[in-house]
Structure formats: C-alpha cells, structure tokens
Amino acid sequence: MGLFKVRTLCFGLLLAFKICIAADQLVGRLYPGFQASQMQWVEHDGRFLLSKNKIFGFGFYTALDAQSFVLVVIHLQASQVVWTANRGDLLVEKSDKFVFDSNGNVYLERGDRFAWATNTTGERATSLELLDSGNLVLLGDNGRTLWQSFSHPTDTLLSGQDFVEGMRLKSFPRRKKSDYLEFESGDLVLYTGFQIPQTYWSLLHEIKTTVQLLSEF
C-alpha cells in the first residue's frame, strides 16, 4: 500500500511538471516580465507567441546543427521562417532566454551577453505584439511603435512591408558568401558579397536597358 502511494505521488509530480512545461501559447501579445527558453516550449516547437488568427508564430527555431537556436517569426501553415533575430549569432543554447524586461528592452541571451536586442532600454514599452501581417511590434504608451521587425528585414519581404533606402536583404551564407538585395543611392541593387562585391542586377540599369530597347522601335 505504501509503495502504491509513493508511485501515485511520483506520477502526480511528473504530471504536474509536464503541465508546467507544456504551457499554453500566448496569442496576440506579451508583456514586460515575460521570459522564455527553448527547453520550456519544446512541446510547441519552441513557439511561445502566436498572432491573433494564428497565421504567424514567434519563438525558437532549430539552427543548422540542431544544437543551437535562432529566434524567429515563422509562417505556420507554410513552416517558412520570414524573420530572424540573431542571424549573426547562432550559438544560442536551449537554456538561453528570450527576455522582455521591465526597463523596456527586449533581448535574447547567449550566456552572459546579448545575441540580439531591440536596444530600447529606458523606453516605456507596454507590450510586444505579433500581428497577422507577420510584423513583430514593440509598443509604448498610446500604442506608439518603439521598434518593429518590418524595419529590420533579414531575407524575406512580406505583403505590406516597406523596403526603403538603407534596408538590405541578406541570404544565408553559401560557401562563405551571401547574396544581398539593397537600396543604394536611389537604386535597387542585387549583388554577391565577395571581398569586392559583385553586382549582377540593378533596377536603374534594367530601366535604362528597357528604355533603350523601346526607343529602337
């Protein structure tokens, strides 16, 4: 009888622990004080925030070596990553945390330093919202936008997202190089990031070529 009680107690503790780990995903937005690690949300594939109509998710995504993680916005139906926070620092482990602190900063830890941050310390941030457009928005008083992922694209543009002077899309490296799409001096340029960048397409050049061809008719 005593052994049965012990087994029942152990089962109850394990069940309670599993329920704590498998927390419900947040929908729409989260608030200052929230923290999350990949290991806490493993049963939800690392995603802890969903957009209102569950079109996009935000959370951890397995990097190339399956031992480290990136923080991403992902289109759920297509399983397509559309924005990545820490592309320059992929060595985030399952115990490292995403943090929305009380001082207005949102960041991803890597050990004792930041792998990524919104750099909004001191701002009166009230919530972090994932929109059905795929835009991740840090809001302040009166709904003021303090930071948004649409202003910091990585390798994907979404419907309704502006692409303006100073922005750049960068592909993941292949053979130690990446391709870039960038607004440069009023021109939209596609180039390969060798030590000396090699441009292989330009919007202005395309327009000039088209105008020249039309003038020949």
Side-chain angles (χ1 to χ4, degrees), residues 179-182 184 187-194 196-205:
D179 295 323
Y180 298 84
L181 180 67
E182 184 173 3
E184 183 180 274
D187 191 9
L188 186 62
V189 179
L190 191 60
Y191 63 93
T192 299
F194 292 115
I196 299 177
Q198 178 181 333
T199 299
Y200 53 89
W201 182 85
S202 160
L203 179 60
L204 289 182
H205 182 267

Side-chain angles (χ1 to χ4, degrees), residues 58-112:
F58 176 58
F60 293 92
Y61 187 82
T62 305
L64 299 177
D65 63 359
Q67 298 297 319
S68 55
F69 301 91
V70 286
L71 190 65
V72 304
V73 174
I74 185 170
H75 188 277
L76 297 176
Q77 184 174 3
S79 297
Q80 177 66 47
V81 172
V82 298
W83 180 80
T84 308
N86 56 310
R87 287 186 63 177
D89 191 343
L90 302 179
L91 300 179
V92 171
E93 299 180 350
K94 62 183 180 180
S95 59
D96 289 324
K97 290 183 178 181
F98 164 84
V99 179
F100 184 0
D101 71 22
S102 58
N103 293 319
N105 200 22
V106 179
Y107 58 88
L108 176 63
E109 295 178 342
R110 182 196 159 194
D112 59 355

